[in-house]
Amino acid sequence: AQSVTQLDSQVPVFEEAPVELRCNYSSSVSVYLFWYVQYPNQGLQLLLKYLSGSTLVKGINGFEAEFNKSQTSFHLRKPSVHISDTAEYFCAVSSPGGYQKVTFGTGTKLQVIP
Amino acid sequence: SAVISQKPSRDICQRGTSLTIQCQVDSQVTMMFWYRQQPGQSLTLIATANQGSEATYESGFVIDKFPISRPNLTFSTLTVSNMSPEDSSIYLCSVEINYGYTFGSGTRLTVV
């Protein structure tokens, strides 16, 4: 069975500072990895995904994540955050291939402080 | 990516009643997924709906409580039956396009 751990439930950071949201996964097989963002009172939006290939994945809104197989991690980073990045971020994992069940982490609330 | 229209966006319902949530996709998809997000928690998969066959339910979810219809490749409904306050959640539908999952904007259900 697969699982995802997001160690930080809340991350406060000042505007224009860098941020890293941590995600670790557990799986006995190869995985696809995802980061989603949920703005207040909205649905989920895909930020980026890792399927294979380059371990550094670039997504929308200036976010990027790095797949580290040896550490089973997929941390999300942004060099300079904006107020508009305040949201909840979910890391997720699935088995490779289409139409696979996706398992979500518990989420990290990013609070950008002016 | 696909565009998903989900409705209603929110509802307040009396306990013991049922609510049907609709999900319309702007392209044909093989499978549609229904999730629940309880207050302050992450997403939990309820079931997977494949057109032309019965939905597959995850552990802890049953068809009598959450019947699903999938009449064609662009549409699905989820019914929350005999509701209780514990069913107060956000319900989301999702489809997979190019190994990435797109979500509807969700239905925020409050049971009183």
Side-chain angles (χ1 to χ4, degrees), chain B residues 29-40:
Chain B
V29 293
T30 303
M31 289 188 182
M32 296 178 74
F33 304 87
W34 287 97
Y35 286 85
R36 180 176 73 181
Q37 185 179 21
Q38 294 179 298

Side-chain angles (χ1 to χ4, degrees), chain A residues 66-77:
Chain A
E66 186 160 16
F67 170 60
N68 188 319
K69 187 174 182 179
S70 63
Q71 297 186 8
T72 60
S73 67
F74 191 56
H75 300 332
L76 181 70
R77 302 186 184 99

Side-chain angles (χ1 to χ4, degrees), chain A residues 34 36 49 99-101 105, chain B residues 37 42 58 96 98-99 101:
Chain A
F34 311 86
Y36 287 87
K49 61 186 177 186
Y99 312 119
Q100 300 293 324
K101 174 183 174 180
Chain B
Q37 185 179 21
S42 188
E58 296 296 305
E96 185 228 332
N98 295 328
Y99 307 114
Y101 292 81

Side-chain angles (χ1 to χ4, degrees), chain A residues 5-114:
Chain A
T5 302
Q6 292 182 248
L7 295 169
D8 305 304
S9 60
Q10 294 190 50
V11 173
V13 62
F14 286 103
E15 192 175 15
E16 298 183 4
V19 69
E20 178 181 82
L21 305 183
R22 296 181 293 169
C23 172
N24 288 89
Y25 69 92
S26 173
S27 176
S28 59
V29 297
S30 298
V31 295
Y32 288 172
L33 292 158
F34 311 86
W35 274 100
Y36 287 87
V37 59
Q38 186 176 35
Y39 297 103
N41 299 314
Q42 295 188 28
L44 274 74
Q45 181 181 7
L46 180 65
L47 274 178
L48 49 79
K49 61 186 177 186
Y50 170 80
L51 306 180
S52 66
S54 173
T55 57
L56 184 63
V57 181
K58 293 188 183 297
I60 61 172
N61 301 341
F63 284 94
E64 64 180 32
E66 186 160 16
F67 170 60
N68 188 319
K69 187 174 182 179
S70 63
Q71 297 186 8
T72 60
S73 67
F74 191 56
H75 300 332
L76 181 70
R77 302 186 184 99
K78 186 169 183 177
S80 175
V81 296
H82 304 287
I83 293 292
S84 59
D85 293 323
T86 295
E88 188 155 19
Y89 293 79
F90 292 93
C91 182
V93 63
S94 76
S95 296
Y99 312 119
Q100 300 293 324
K101 174 183 174 180
V102 181
T103 301
F104 286 83
T106 51
T108 297
K109 291 183 179 177
L110 174 62
Q111 179 68 47
V112 180
I113 305 165

